[in-house]
Amino acid sequence: MRKTYTVAYKRKVQGRTNYKKRLALLKSNKPRLVIRTSSSNLTAQIIEFNPKGDSVTTAAHTKDLEKLGWTASRGNSSAAYLTGLLVGKKAAAKGIKEAIVDSGLNKPVRGSRVYAAVKGCLDAGITIPVDENVFPSEDRILGKHISSYASDCKGKETKQFSKCIKNNVDVEKFPELVEACKKKIMGAE
């Protein structure tokens, strides 16, 4: 008896796509909230399936926050939340009411930046089926842990807040910066 061999898809071999997970997400017939992270940035996109190729409906990147006055680091939970809020606001303006989370090959971790972005999208009015226990605490989203640590380090020599110092951001008033940026996003249509 002769055995047959099926060649795997290129993206599967490269470890870039989990086709079983992708098929399950596509069967829902809902737009996907695709969140991809790096050590210093986050990208959130609302993507809709099309047989000829997926189409990006709206997108937001942590660099977009600079236009709204964000001068702090873009690799924290607060920046992720604001990016999710921004993409959610853009999606709501285009008539998208619901989505499902697509975290790709990243393992979903409770309280991570991925879920901070999902929380932002939910706060913008997009319905996403997700357990409330996975979100970071409100204090973490507002950056109170950052301002608390900054006040503990006051007077000590540290390179922890070099980007904030370089951009003249008062780290102890970090929650106020988050709230100001949130107000600009919610006011923008």
Side-chain angles (χ1 to χ4, degrees):
M1 187 168 165
R2 195 169 185 185
K3 293 183 180 181
T4 60
Y5 177 75
T6 304
V7 178
Y9 293 120
K10 179 180 176 182
R11 291 184 62 87
K12 183 176 182 179
V13 171
Q14 292 173 341
R16 294 171 60 191
T17 301
N18 180 341
Y19 284 100
K20 286 184 181 180
K21 184 177 176 182
R22 177 176 165 76
L23 182 61
L25 290 171
L26 295 179
K27 282 182 180 179
S28 71
N29 289 327
K30 294 181 181 177
R32 295 176 291 139
L33 171 62
V34 177
I35 301 168
R36 301 293 183 260
T37 62
S38 70
S39 60
S40 59
N41 285 301
L42 181 133
T43 302
Q45 301 173 323
I46 301 286
I47 297 180
E48 294 180 337
F49 172 75
N50 186 336
K52 293 182 181 178
D54 293 351
S55 62
V56 177
T57 306
T58 61
H61 192 275
T62 48
K63 287 183 181 180
D64 298 340
L65 299 176
E66 291 176 353
K67 298 172 190 169
L68 300 168
W70 185 261
T71 54
S73 172
R74 298 186 308 254
N76 56 41
S77 298
S78 301
Y81 170 79
L82 292 170
T83 304
L85 190 67
L86 185 61
V87 77
K89 192 71 172 164
K90 287 179 178 181
K94 289 193 174 185
I96 295 173
K97 293 179 175 62
E98 62 181 348
I100 55 173
V101 178
D102 180 354
S103 61
L105 297 176
N106 298 325
K107 183 179 177 184
V109 177
R110 184 172 94 59
S112 66
R113 291 185 298 149
V114 170
Y115 287 116
V118 172
K119 172 84 167 123
C121 203
L122 275 171
D123 288 351
I126 305 298
T127 304
I128 301 172
V130 65
D131 184 12
E132 297 286 326
N133 295 327
V134 298
F135 298 133
S137 68
E138 195 66 30
D139 287 348
R140 192 154 190 91
I141 287 174
L142 290 175
K144 290 182 180 175
H145 66 291
I146 295 172
S147 63
S148 169
Y149 182 72
S151 60
D152 289 347
C153 292
K154 196 167 192 162
K156 299 176 187 173
E157 188 173 324
T158 180
K159 293 182 181 178
Q160 186 71 33
F161 304 108
S162 59
K163 180 159 177 90
C164 291
I165 293 167
K166 177 181 162 188
N167 293 331
N168 296 323
V169 175
D170 186 2
V171 185
E172 292 181 28
K173 295 182 180 177
F174 199 84
E176 295 169 20
L177 178 64
V178 174
E179 285 295 335
C181 198
K182 182 178 177 180
K183 285 179 184 174
K184 286 181 183 177
I185 292 170
M186 294 308 284
E189 287 294 322

